Each structure stands twice: as structure tokens, then as C-alpha cells.
Amino acid sequence: MQTGDDFLKLAGVILVVAGVIILPFGILQFRKEWKAYREFSPKTQKVFVLIEIFDVLSGFPILSTWWMYLSAFCIVMGAILIKTH
């Protein structure tokens, strides 16, 4: 069914484009959070870094990385739709 496949490829392209557009917002949000924690002591900065690492590795976006997770999700899902259809 060509029409359905074309629609899914178009949806995949839209998801990839949306993910690429959202990615800078995630990076800016992370940088904004990082600047806020620069004012604290080095010990507090280390705690912040550990929390951010946990946030990235846990798969459950809690802090400033949720925009980046949303972007990555859109890009990956769009690429899967394009590749499979």
C-alpha cells in the first residue's frame, strides 16, 4: 500500500525535523541550569554534575535534560519510520 507508506515516511521526516528543531532548546536549557549552579561552592557543583549524569543515564528526564530526551525520541522514531517504510 503505497499511500500508507508515503504517509509514514512523511511522518518520519516531520519527527526528525521536529527533533532537530527541539535540540537547541534542550542545550540552552542545560546551559542555563549550569550557569545557575556556577555561583555555588565547588562541592555543590560536584553534586549538580552527579545529578545531571544520573538524569542522563537514568532514562527518566527529571531536570534540564527532558528537552534533549524529547528531541532524541523524535529523531530516533522518525528515523525508524523512514527506514522501515
PDB file of all heavy atoms in Angstrom, residues 23-61:
ATOM      1  N   LEU A  23      16.194  20.262  19.667  1.00  0.00           N
ATOM      2  CA  LEU A  23      17.503  20.023  20.280  1.00  0.00           C
ATOM      3  C   LEU A  23      18.189  21.285  20.818  1.00  0.00           C
ATOM      4  O   LEU A  23      18.684  21.278  21.949  1.00  0.00           O
ATOM      5  CB  LEU A  23      18.423  19.290  19.302  1.00  0.00           C
ATOM      6  CG  LEU A  23      19.790  18.884  19.843  1.00  0.00           C
ATOM      7  CD1 LEU A  23      19.639  17.934  21.021  1.00  0.00           C
ATOM      8  CD2 LEU A  23      20.613  18.239  18.745  1.00  0.00           C
ATOM      9  N   PRO A  24      18.224  22.393  20.081  1.00  0.00           N
ATOM     10  CA  PRO A  24      18.869  23.593  20.637  1.00  0.00           C
ATOM     11  C   PRO A  24      18.213  24.099  21.919  1.00  0.00           C
ATOM     12  O   PRO A  24      18.889  24.628  22.797  1.00  0.00           O
ATOM     13  CB  PRO A  24      18.752  24.635  19.520  1.00  0.00           C
ATOM     14  CG  PRO A  24      18.572  23.843  18.284  1.00  0.00           C
ATOM     15  CD  PRO A  24      17.851  22.600  18.685  1.00  0.00           C
ATOM     16  N   PHE A  25      16.895  23.912  22.051  1.00  0.00           N
ATOM     17  CA  PHE A  25      16.221  24.325  23.270  1.00  0.00           C
ATOM     18  C   PHE A  25      16.716  23.510  24.467  1.00  0.00           C
ATOM     19  O   PHE A  25      16.878  24.038  25.564  1.00  0.00           O
ATOM     20  CB  PHE A  25      14.700  24.195  23.139  1.00  0.00           C
ATOM     21  CG  PHE A  25      14.109  25.153  22.151  1.00  0.00           C
ATOM     22  CD1 PHE A  25      13.657  24.707  20.925  1.00  0.00           C
ATOM     23  CD2 PHE A  25      14.021  26.509  22.442  1.00  0.00           C
ATOM     24  CE1 PHE A  25      13.118  25.581  20.005  1.00  0.00           C
ATOM     25  CE2 PHE A  25      13.482  27.397  21.527  1.00  0.00           C
ATOM     26  CZ  PHE A  25      13.035  26.935  20.306  1.00  0.00           C
ATOM     27  N   GLY A  26      16.954  22.232  24.254  1.00  0.00           N
ATOM     28  CA  GLY A  26      17.488  21.386  25.315  1.00  0.00           C
ATOM     29  C   GLY A  26      18.885  21.810  25.714  1.00  0.00           C
ATOM     30  O   GLY A  26      19.226  21.860  26.899  1.00  0.00           O
ATOM     31  N   ILE A  27      19.697  22.123  24.730  1.00  0.00           N
ATOM     32  CA  ILE A  27      21.064  22.555  25.017  1.00  0.00           C
ATOM     33  C   ILE A  27      21.052  23.890  25.757  1.00  0.00           C
ATOM     34  O   ILE A  27      21.784  24.073  26.734  1.00  0.00           O
ATOM     35  CB  ILE A  27      21.882  22.636  23.714  1.00  0.00           C
ATOM     36  CG1 ILE A  27      22.054  21.226  23.135  1.00  0.00           C
ATOM     37  CG2 ILE A  27      23.222  23.315  23.945  1.00  0.00           C
ATOM     38  CD1 ILE A  27      22.617  21.192  21.738  1.00  0.00           C
ATOM     39  N   LEU A  28      20.207  24.816  25.327  1.00  0.00           N
ATOM     40  CA  LEU A  28      20.114  26.111  26.007  1.00  0.00           C
ATOM     41  C   LEU A  28      19.615  25.959  27.435  1.00  0.00           C
ATOM     42  O   LEU A  28      20.099  26.627  28.354  1.00  0.00           O
ATOM     43  CB  LEU A  28      19.202  27.059  25.225  1.00  0.00           C
ATOM     44  CG  LEU A  28      19.760  27.578  23.907  1.00  0.00           C
ATOM     45  CD1 LEU A  28      18.704  28.394  23.169  1.00  0.00           C
ATOM     46  CD2 LEU A  28      21.007  28.404  24.140  1.00  0.00           C
ATOM     47  N   GLN A  29      18.636  25.074  27.651  1.00  0.00           N
ATOM     48  CA  GLN A  29      18.118  24.844  28.995  1.00  0.00           C
ATOM     49  C   GLN A  29      19.202  24.270  29.900  1.00  0.00           C
ATOM     50  O   GLN A  29      19.348  24.679  31.045  1.00  0.00           O
ATOM     51  CB  GLN A  29      16.909  23.908  28.949  1.00  0.00           C
ATOM     52  CG  GLN A  29      16.295  23.615  30.291  1.00  0.00           C
ATOM     53  CD  GLN A  29      15.656  24.828  30.928  1.00  0.00           C
ATOM     54  OE1 GLN A  29      15.228  25.754  30.249  1.00  0.00           O
ATOM     55  NE2 GLN A  29      15.600  24.835  32.237  1.00  0.00           N
ATOM     56  N   PHE A  30      19.976  23.322  29.372  1.00  0.00           N
ATOM     57  CA  PHE A  30      21.063  22.742  30.161  1.00  0.00           C
ATOM     58  C   PHE A  30      22.108  23.796  30.509  1.00  0.00           C
ATOM     59  O   PHE A  30      22.573  23.873  31.641  1.00  0.00           O
ATOM     60  CB  PHE A  30      21.719  21.585  29.401  1.00  0.00           C
ATOM     61  CG  PHE A  30      22.837  20.952  30.155  1.00  0.00           C
ATOM     62  CD1 PHE A  30      22.575  20.080  31.190  1.00  0.00           C
ATOM     63  CD2 PHE A  30      24.154  21.240  29.843  1.00  0.00           C
ATOM     64  CE1 PHE A  30      23.602  19.506  31.908  1.00  0.00           C
ATOM     65  CE2 PHE A  30      25.184  20.666  30.549  1.00  0.00           C
ATOM     66  CZ  PHE A  30      24.914  19.797  31.584  1.00  0.00           C
ATOM     67  N   ARG A  31      22.455  24.625  29.554  1.00  0.00           N
ATOM     68  CA  ARG A  31      23.444  25.685  29.808  1.00  0.00           C
ATOM     69  C   ARG A  31      22.931  26.683  30.841  1.00  0.00           C
ATOM     70  O   ARG A  31      23.678  27.175  31.682  1.00  0.00           O
ATOM     71  CB  ARG A  31      23.805  26.392  28.512  1.00  0.00           C
ATOM     72  CG  ARG A  31      24.609  25.505  27.575  1.00  0.00           C
ATOM     73  CD  ARG A  31      24.960  26.202  26.313  1.00  0.00           C
ATOM     74  NE  ARG A  31      26.050  27.132  26.613  1.00  0.00           N
ATOM     75  CZ  ARG A  31      26.484  28.046  25.777  1.00  0.00           C
ATOM     76  NH1 ARG A  31      25.933  28.155  24.600  1.00  0.00           N
ATOM     77  NH2 ARG A  31      27.469  28.839  26.112  1.00  0.00           N
ATOM     78  N   LYS A  32      21.640  26.994  30.769  1.00  0.00           N
ATOM     79  CA  LYS A  32      21.029  27.916  31.732  1.00  0.00           C
ATOM     80  C   LYS A  32      21.106  27.325  33.143  1.00  0.00           C
ATOM     81  O   LYS A  32      21.456  28.031  34.098  1.00  0.00           O
ATOM     82  CB  LYS A  32      19.581  28.176  31.328  1.00  0.00           C
ATOM     83  CG  LYS A  32      18.840  29.120  32.213  1.00  0.00           C
ATOM     84  CD  LYS A  32      17.442  29.315  31.655  1.00  0.00           C
ATOM     85  CE  LYS A  32      16.481  29.660  32.750  1.00  0.00           C
ATOM     86  NZ  LYS A  32      15.104  29.708  32.286  1.00  0.00           N
ATOM     87  N   GLU A  33      20.785  26.051  33.278  1.00  0.00           N
ATOM     88  CA  GLU A  33      20.866  25.393  34.580  1.00  0.00           C
ATOM     89  C   GLU A  33      22.314  25.376  35.075  1.00  0.00           C
ATOM     90  O   GLU A  33      22.568  25.566  36.260  1.00  0.00           O
ATOM     91  CB  GLU A  33      20.344  23.966  34.491  1.00  0.00           C
ATOM     92  CG  GLU A  33      18.858  23.874  34.231  1.00  0.00           C
ATOM     93  CD  GLU A  33      18.030  24.263  35.431  1.00  0.00           C
ATOM     94  OE1 GLU A  33      18.481  24.033  36.569  1.00  0.00           O
ATOM     95  OE2 GLU A  33      16.934  24.804  35.226  1.00  0.00           O
ATOM     96  N   TRP A  34      23.242  25.099  34.177  1.00  0.00           N
ATOM     97  CA  TRP A  34      24.646  25.036  34.564  1.00  0.00           C
ATOM     98  C   TRP A  34      25.125  26.399  35.062  1.00  0.00           C
ATOM     99  O   TRP A  34      25.864  26.491  36.044  1.00  0.00           O
ATOM    100  CB  TRP A  34      25.491  24.554  33.397  1.00  0.00           C
ATOM    101  CG  TRP A  34      26.926  24.446  33.748  1.00  0.00           C
ATOM    102  CD1 TRP A  34      27.921  25.265  33.330  1.00  0.00           C
ATOM    103  CD2 TRP A  34      27.539  23.486  34.602  1.00  0.00           C
ATOM    104  NE1 TRP A  34      29.124  24.869  33.856  1.00  0.00           N
ATOM    105  CE2 TRP A  34      28.906  23.779  34.653  1.00  0.00           C
ATOM    106  CE3 TRP A  34      27.060  22.407  35.337  1.00  0.00           C
ATOM    107  CZ2 TRP A  34      29.804  23.021  35.395  1.00  0.00           C
ATOM    108  CZ3 TRP A  34      27.964  21.660  36.077  1.00  0.00           C
ATOM    109  CH2 TRP A  34      29.307  21.973  36.106  1.00  0.00           C
ATOM    110  N   LYS A  35      24.727  27.478  34.406  1.00  0.00           N
ATOM    111  CA  LYS A  35      25.127  28.819  34.833  1.00  0.00           C
ATOM    112  C   LYS A  35      24.579  29.136  36.220  1.00  0.00           C
ATOM    113  O   LYS A  35      25.236  29.801  37.016  1.00  0.00           O
ATOM    114  CB  LYS A  35      24.659  29.870  33.827  1.00  0.00           C
ATOM    115  CG  LYS A  35      25.480  29.908  32.571  1.00  0.00           C
ATOM    116  CD  LYS A  35      24.979  30.961  31.616  1.00  0.00           C
ATOM    117  CE  LYS A  35      25.773  30.912  30.318  1.00  0.00           C
ATOM    118  NZ  LYS A  35      25.289  31.872  29.342  1.00  0.00           N
ATOM    119  N   ALA A  36      23.382  28.669  36.512  1.00  0.00           N
ATOM    120  CA  ALA A  36      22.796  28.910  37.830  1.00  0.00           C
ATOM    121  C   ALA A  36      23.602  28.221  38.920  1.00  0.00           C
ATOM    122  O   ALA A  36      23.727  28.744  40.030  1.00  0.00           O
ATOM    123  CB  ALA A  36      21.352  28.428  37.851  1.00  0.00           C
ATOM    124  N   TYR A  37      24.174  27.066  38.626  1.00  0.00           N
ATOM    125  CA  TYR A  37      24.933  26.323  39.634  1.00  0.00           C
ATOM    126  C   TYR A  37      26.393  26.752  39.718  1.00  0.00           C
ATOM    127  O   TYR A  37      27.097  26.351  40.630  1.00  0.00           O
ATOM    128  CB  TYR A  37      24.847  24.818  39.364  1.00  0.00           C
ATOM    129  CG  TYR A  37      23.531  24.244  39.792  1.00  0.00           C
ATOM    130  CD1 TYR A  37      22.527  24.000  38.870  1.00  0.00           C
ATOM    131  CD2 TYR A  37      23.287  23.971  41.126  1.00  0.00           C
ATOM    132  CE1 TYR A  37      21.314  23.483  39.259  1.00  0.00           C
ATOM    133  CE2 TYR A  37      22.070  23.447  41.533  1.00  0.00           C
ATOM    134  CZ  TYR A  37      21.082  23.210  40.596  1.00  0.00           C
ATOM    135  OH  TYR A  37      19.883  22.707  40.993  1.00  0.00           O
ATOM    136  N   ARG A  38      26.861  27.574  38.803  1.00  0.00           N
ATOM    137  CA  ARG A  38      28.247  28.053  38.861  1.00  0.00           C
ATOM    138  C   ARG A  38      28.485  28.952  40.067  1.00  0.00           C
ATOM    139  O   ARG A  38      29.603  29.084  40.535  1.00  0.00           O
ATOM    140  CB  ARG A  38      28.603  28.818  37.595  1.00  0.00           C
ATOM    141  CG  ARG A  38      29.018  27.943  36.478  1.00  0.00           C
ATOM    142  CD  ARG A  38      29.593  28.788  35.383  1.00  0.00           C
ATOM    143  NE  ARG A  38      30.152  27.918  34.373  1.00  0.00           N
ATOM    144  CZ  ARG A  38      30.575  28.330  33.214  1.00  0.00           C
ATOM    145  NH1 ARG A  38      30.503  29.608  32.920  1.00  0.00           N
ATOM    146  NH2 ARG A  38      31.070  27.488  32.346  1.00  0.00           N
ATOM    147  N   GLU A  39      27.423  29.583  40.551  1.00  0.00           N
ATOM    148  CA  GLU A  39      27.551  30.508  41.669  1.00  0.00           C
ATOM    149  C   GLU A  39      27.749  29.786  42.998  1.00  0.00           C
ATOM    150  O   GLU A  39      28.140  30.399  43.983  1.00  0.00           O
ATOM    151  CB  GLU A  39      26.317  31.405  41.738  1.00  0.00           C
ATOM    152  CG  GLU A  39      26.125  32.238  40.487  1.00  0.00           C
ATOM    153  CD  GLU A  39      24.785  32.937  40.452  1.00  0.00           C
ATOM    154  OE1 GLU A  39      24.006  32.792  41.404  1.00  0.00           O
ATOM    155  OE2 GLU A  39      24.526  33.635  39.462  1.00  0.00           O
ATOM    156  N   PHE A  40      27.459  28.502  43.054  1.00  0.00           N
ATOM    157  CA  PHE A  40      27.580  27.746  44.298  1.00  0.00           C
ATOM    158  C   PHE A  40      29.008  27.261  44.508  1.00  0.00           C
ATOM    159  O   PHE A  40      29.866  27.373  43.643  1.00  0.00           O
ATOM    160  CB  PHE A  40      26.612  26.558  44.282  1.00  0.00           C
ATOM    161  CG  PHE A  40      25.178  26.973  44.291  1.00  0.00           C
ATOM    162  CD1 PHE A  40      24.373  26.742  43.187  1.00  0.00           C
ATOM    163  CD2 PHE A  40      24.619  27.594  45.387  1.00  0.00           C
ATOM    164  CE1 PHE A  40      23.048  27.119  43.175  1.00  0.00           C
ATOM    165  CE2 PHE A  40      23.293  27.984  45.396  1.00  0.00           C
ATOM    166  CZ  PHE A  40      22.504  27.748  44.291  1.00  0.00           C
ATOM    167  N   SER A  41      29.220  26.683  45.663  1.00  0.00           N
ATOM    168  CA  SER A  41      30.548  26.178  46.007  1.00  0.00           C
ATOM    169  C   SER A  41      30.926  24.999  45.107  1.00  0.00           C
ATOM    170  O   SER A  41      30.052  24.358  44.516  1.00  0.00           O
ATOM    171  CB  SER A  41      30.563  25.728  47.467  1.00  0.00           C
ATOM    172  OG  SER A  41      29.777  24.566  47.627  1.00  0.00           O
ATOM    173  N   PRO A  42      32.215  24.677  45.018  1.00  0.00           N
ATOM    174  CA  PRO A  42      32.651  23.541  44.193  1.00  0.00           C
ATOM    175  C   PRO A  42      32.008  22.218  44.617  1.00  0.00           C
ATOM    176  O   PRO A  42      31.715  21.380  43.776  1.00  0.00           O
ATOM    177  CB  PRO A  42      34.162  23.517  44.386  1.00  0.00           C
ATOM    178  CG  PRO A  42      34.521  24.910  44.732  1.00  0.00           C
ATOM    179  CD  PRO A  42      33.356  25.446  45.521  1.00  0.00           C
ATOM    180  N   LYS A  43      31.774  22.055  45.908  1.00  0.00           N
ATOM    181  CA  LYS A  43      31.144  20.821  46.388  1.00  0.00           C
ATOM    182  C   LYS A  43      29.714  20.699  45.853  1.00  0.00           C
ATOM    183  O   LYS A  43      29.293  19.647  45.394  1.00  0.00           O
ATOM    184  CB  LYS A  43      31.145  20.799  47.911  1.00  0.00           C
ATOM    185  CG  LYS A  43      30.719  19.485  48.492  1.00  0.00           C
ATOM    186  CD  LYS A  43      30.894  19.488  49.991  1.00  0.00           C
ATOM    187  CE  LYS A  43      30.546  18.126  50.552  1.00  0.00           C
ATOM    188  NZ  LYS A  43      30.757  18.058  51.990  1.00  0.00           N
ATOM    189  N   THR A  44      28.993  21.792  45.881  1.00  0.00           N
ATOM    190  CA  THR A  44      27.627  21.793  45.359  1.00  0.00           C
ATOM    191  C   THR A  44      27.633  21.575  43.852  1.00  0.00           C
ATOM    192  O   THR A  44      26.750  20.902  43.320  1.00  0.00           O
ATOM    193  CB  THR A  44      26.930  23.128  45.696  1.00  0.00           C
ATOM    194  OG1 THR A  44      27.011  23.350  47.103  1.00  0.00           O
ATOM    195  CG2 THR A  44      25.479  23.112  45.275  1.00  0.00           C
ATOM    196  N   GLN A  45      28.620  22.125  43.165  1.00  0.00           N
ATOM    197  CA  GLN A  45      28.740  21.915  41.723  1.00  0.00           C
ATOM    198  C   GLN A  45      28.963  20.450  41.406  1.00  0.00           C
ATOM    199  O   GLN A  45      28.406  19.923  40.445  1.00  0.00           O
ATOM    200  CB  GLN A  45      29.874  22.748  41.148  1.00  0.00           C
ATOM    201  CG  GLN A  45      29.591  24.235  41.109  1.00  0.00           C
ATOM    202  CD  GLN A  45      30.769  25.033  40.594  1.00  0.00           C
ATOM    203  OE1 GLN A  45      31.838  24.503  40.327  1.00  0.00           O
ATOM    204  NE2 GLN A  45      30.572  26.338  40.455  1.00  0.00           N
ATOM    205  N   LYS A  46      29.772  19.775  42.223  1.00  0.00           N
ATOM    206  CA  LYS A  46      30.002  18.346  42.004  1.00  0.00           C
ATOM    207  C   LYS A  46      28.722  17.554  42.174  1.00  0.00           C
ATOM    208  O   LYS A  46      28.451  16.631  41.406  1.00  0.00           O
ATOM    209  CB  LYS A  46      31.076  17.835  42.965  1.00  0.00           C
ATOM    210  CG  LYS A  46      32.456  18.334  42.642  1.00  0.00           C
ATOM    211  CD  LYS A  46      33.464  17.854  43.662  1.00  0.00           C
ATOM    212  CE  LYS A  46      34.818  18.496  43.417  1.00  0.00           C
ATOM    213  NZ  LYS A  46      35.773  18.161  44.457  1.00  0.00           N
ATOM    214  N   VAL A  47      27.921  17.925  43.159  1.00  0.00           N
ATOM    215  CA  VAL A  47      26.630  17.251  43.371  1.00  0.00           C
ATOM    216  C   VAL A  47      25.731  17.477  42.165  1.00  0.00           C
ATOM    217  O   VAL A  47      25.068  16.559  41.687  1.00  0.00           O
ATOM    218  CB  VAL A  47      25.965  17.747  44.675  1.00  0.00           C
ATOM    219  CG1 VAL A  47      24.548  17.230  44.793  1.00  0.00           C
ATOM    220  CG2 VAL A  47      26.791  17.339  45.880  1.00  0.00           C
ATOM    221  N   PHE A  48      25.728  18.696  41.664  1.00  0.00           N
ATOM    222  CA  PHE A  48      24.915  19.005  40.484  1.00  0.00           C
ATOM    223  C   PHE A  48      25.342  18.164  39.288  1.00  0.00           C
ATOM    224  O   PHE A  48      24.502  17.613  38.575  1.00  0.00           O
ATOM    225  CB  PHE A  48      25.027  20.493  40.139  1.00  0.00           C
ATOM    226  CG  PHE A  48      24.412  20.847  38.815  1.00  0.00           C
ATOM    227  CD1 PHE A  48      23.042  20.854  38.657  1.00  0.00           C
ATOM    228  CD2 PHE A  48      25.199  21.162  37.721  1.00  0.00           C
ATOM    229  CE1 PHE A  48      22.465  21.165  37.433  1.00  0.00           C
ATOM    230  CE2 PHE A  48      24.636  21.482  36.511  1.00  0.00           C
ATOM    231  CZ  PHE A  48      23.267  21.482  36.362  1.00  0.00           C
ATOM    232  N   VAL A  49      26.635  18.036  39.074  1.00  0.00           N
ATOM    233  CA  VAL A  49      27.140  17.231  37.956  1.00  0.00           C
ATOM    234  C   VAL A  49      26.706  15.772  38.120  1.00  0.00           C
ATOM    235  O   VAL A  49      26.262  15.131  37.165  1.00  0.00           O
ATOM    236  CB  VAL A  49      28.668  17.352  37.834  1.00  0.00           C
ATOM    237  CG1 VAL A  49      29.223  16.317  36.879  1.00  0.00           C
ATOM    238  CG2 VAL A  49      29.053  18.750  37.390  1.00  0.00           C
ATOM    239  N   LEU A  50      26.805  15.243  39.328  1.00  0.00           N
ATOM    240  CA  LEU A  50      26.383  13.859  39.573  1.00  0.00           C
ATOM    241  C   LEU A  50      24.892  13.670  39.318  1.00  0.00           C
ATOM    242  O   LEU A  50      24.470  12.667  38.736  1.00  0.00           O
ATOM    243  CB  LEU A  50      26.737  13.438  40.997  1.00  0.00           C
ATOM    244  CG  LEU A  50      28.233  13.259  41.271  1.00  0.00           C
ATOM    245  CD1 LEU A  50      28.462  12.992  42.747  1.00  0.00           C
ATOM    246  CD2 LEU A  50      28.801  12.139  40.423  1.00  0.00           C
ATOM    247  N   ILE A  51      24.090  14.645  39.730  1.00  0.00           N
ATOM    248  CA  ILE A  51      22.645  14.564  39.491  1.00  0.00           C
ATOM    249  C   ILE A  51      22.353  14.611  37.992  1.00  0.00           C
ATOM    250  O   ILE A  51      21.504  13.866  37.490  1.00  0.00           O
ATOM    251  CB  ILE A  51      21.912  15.685  40.245  1.00  0.00           C
ATOM    252  CG1 ILE A  51      21.966  15.422  41.751  1.00  0.00           C
ATOM    253  CG2 ILE A  51      20.459  15.792  39.786  1.00  0.00           C
ATOM    254  CD1 ILE A  51      21.434  16.548  42.594  1.00  0.00           C
ATOM    255  N   GLU A  52      23.041  15.478  37.266  1.00  0.00           N
ATOM    256  CA  GLU A  52      22.825  15.566  35.816  1.00  0.00           C
ATOM    257  C   GLU A  52      23.262  14.278  35.114  1.00  0.00           C
ATOM    258  O   GLU A  52      22.599  13.823  34.190  1.00  0.00           O
ATOM    259  CB  GLU A  52      23.565  16.769  35.229  1.00  0.00           C
ATOM    260  CG  GLU A  52      22.900  18.091  35.511  1.00  0.00           C
ATOM    261  CD  GLU A  52      21.557  18.257  34.828  1.00  0.00           C
ATOM    262  OE1 GLU A  52      21.304  17.644  33.785  1.00  0.00           O
ATOM    263  OE2 GLU A  52      20.743  19.029  35.357  1.00  0.00           O
ATOM    264  N   ILE A  53      24.366  13.698  35.556  1.00  0.00           N
ATOM    265  CA  ILE A  53      24.809  12.430  34.969  1.00  0.00           C
ATOM    266  C   ILE A  53      23.767  11.353  35.229  1.00  0.00           C
ATOM    267  O   ILE A  53      23.402  10.585  34.331  1.00  0.00           O
ATOM    268  CB  ILE A  53      26.187  12.021  35.520  1.00  0.00           C
ATOM    269  CG1 ILE A  53      27.261  12.951  34.969  1.00  0.00           C
ATOM    270  CG2 ILE A  53      26.513  10.571  35.174  1.00  0.00           C
ATOM    271  CD1 ILE A  53      28.611  12.781  35.624  1.00  0.00           C
ATOM    272  N   PHE A  54      23.247  11.289  36.442  1.00  0.00           N
ATOM    273  CA  PHE A  54      22.186  10.333  36.762  1.00  0.00           C
ATOM    274  C   PHE A  54      20.961  10.594  35.901  1.00  0.00           C
ATOM    275  O   PHE A  54      20.326   9.667  35.404  1.00  0.00           O
ATOM    276  CB  PHE A  54      21.818  10.401  38.245  1.00  0.00           C
ATOM    277  CG  PHE A  54      20.625   9.567  38.588  1.00  0.00           C
ATOM    278  CD1 PHE A  54      20.737   8.189  38.654  1.00  0.00           C
ATOM    279  CD2 PHE A  54      19.395  10.153  38.826  1.00  0.00           C
ATOM    280  CE1 PHE A  54      19.633   7.406  38.956  1.00  0.00           C
ATOM    281  CE2 PHE A  54      18.290   9.386  39.123  1.00  0.00           C
ATOM    282  CZ  PHE A  54      18.410   8.006  39.197  1.00  0.00           C
ATOM    283  N   ASP A  55      20.642  11.872  35.721  1.00  0.00           N
ATOM    284  CA  ASP A  55      19.486  12.246  34.914  1.00  0.00           C
ATOM    285  C   ASP A  55      19.641  11.763  33.480  1.00  0.00           C
ATOM    286  O   ASP A  55      18.703  11.228  32.882  1.00  0.00           O
ATOM    287  CB  ASP A  55      19.312  13.760  34.956  1.00  0.00           C
ATOM    288  CG  ASP A  55      18.035  14.239  34.301  1.00  0.00           C
ATOM    289  OD1 ASP A  55      17.042  13.498  34.347  1.00  0.00           O
ATOM    290  OD2 ASP A  55      18.032  15.348  33.763  1.00  0.00           O
ATOM    291  N   VAL A  56      20.822  11.916  32.919  1.00  0.00           N
ATOM    292  CA  VAL A  56      21.074  11.492  31.545  1.00  0.00           C
ATOM    293  C   VAL A  56      21.034   9.964  31.430  1.00  0.00           C
ATOM    294  O   VAL A  56      20.447   9.404  30.512  1.00  0.00           O
ATOM    295  CB  VAL A  56      22.413  12.053  31.035  1.00  0.00           C
ATOM    296  CG1 VAL A  56      22.806  11.415  29.727  1.00  0.00           C
ATOM    297  CG2 VAL A  56      22.332  13.557  30.887  1.00  0.00           C
ATOM    298  N   LEU A  57      21.668   9.276  32.378  1.00  0.00           N
ATOM    299  CA  LEU A  57      21.782   7.816  32.295  1.00  0.00           C
ATOM    300  C   LEU A  57      20.529   7.075  32.749  1.00  0.00           C
ATOM    301  O   LEU A  57      20.340   5.920  32.390  1.00  0.00           O
ATOM    302  CB  LEU A  57      22.985   7.339  33.118  1.00  0.00           C
ATOM    303  CG  LEU A  57      24.340   7.828  32.639  1.00  0.00           C
ATOM    304  CD1 LEU A  57      25.430   7.363  33.584  1.00  0.00           C
ATOM    305  CD2 LEU A  57      24.612   7.374  31.224  1.00  0.00           C
ATOM    306  N   SER A  58      19.688   7.711  33.539  1.00  0.00           N
ATOM    307  CA  SER A  58      18.525   7.007  34.084  1.00  0.00           C
ATOM    308  C   SER A  58      17.457   6.751  33.036  1.00  0.00           C
ATOM    309  O   SER A  58      16.687   5.806  33.154  1.00  0.00           O
ATOM    310  CB  SER A  58      17.927   7.796  35.251  1.00  0.00           C
ATOM    311  OG  SER A  58      17.315   8.980  34.779  1.00  0.00           O
ATOM    312  N   GLY A  59      17.374   7.585  32.043  1.00  0.00           N
ATOM    313  CA  GLY A  59      16.327   7.417  31.044  1.00  0.00           C
ATOM    314  C   GLY A  59      15.031   8.104  31.437  1.00  0.00           C
ATOM    315  O   GLY A  59      14.082   8.138  30.678  1.00  0.00           O
ATOM    316  N   PHE A  60      14.986   8.639  32.643  1.00  0.00           N
ATOM    317  CA  PHE A  60      13.821   9.391  33.098  1.00  0.00           C
ATOM    318  C   PHE A  60      14.224  10.844  33.253  1.00  0.00           C
ATOM    319  O   PHE A  60      14.820  11.223  34.255  1.00  0.00           O
ATOM    320  CB  PHE A  60      13.308   8.851  34.444  1.00  0.00           C
ATOM    321  CG  PHE A  60      12.872   7.422  34.375  1.00  0.00           C
ATOM    322  CD1 PHE A  60      13.663   6.427  34.907  1.00  0.00           C
ATOM    323  CD2 PHE A  60      11.691   7.089  33.761  1.00  0.00           C
ATOM    324  CE1 PHE A  60      13.271   5.107  34.844  1.00  0.00           C
ATOM    325  CE2 PHE A  60      11.287   5.771  33.686  1.00  0.00           C
ATOM    326  CZ  PHE A  60      12.079   4.779  34.229  1.00  0.00           C
ATOM    327  N   PRO A  61      13.940  11.661  32.242  1.00  0.00           N
ATOM    328  CA  PRO A  61      14.387  13.049  32.300  1.00  0.00           C
ATOM    329  C   PRO A  61      13.714  13.798  33.450  1.00  0.00           C
ATOM    330  O   PRO A  61      12.505  13.909  33.500  1.00  0.00           O
ATOM    331  CB  PRO A  61      13.986  13.621  30.951  1.00  0.00           C
ATOM    332  CG  PRO A  61      12.954  12.700  30.422  1.00  0.00           C
ATOM    333  CD  PRO A  61      13.206  11.359  31.031  1.00  0.00           C
TER     334      PRO A  61
END
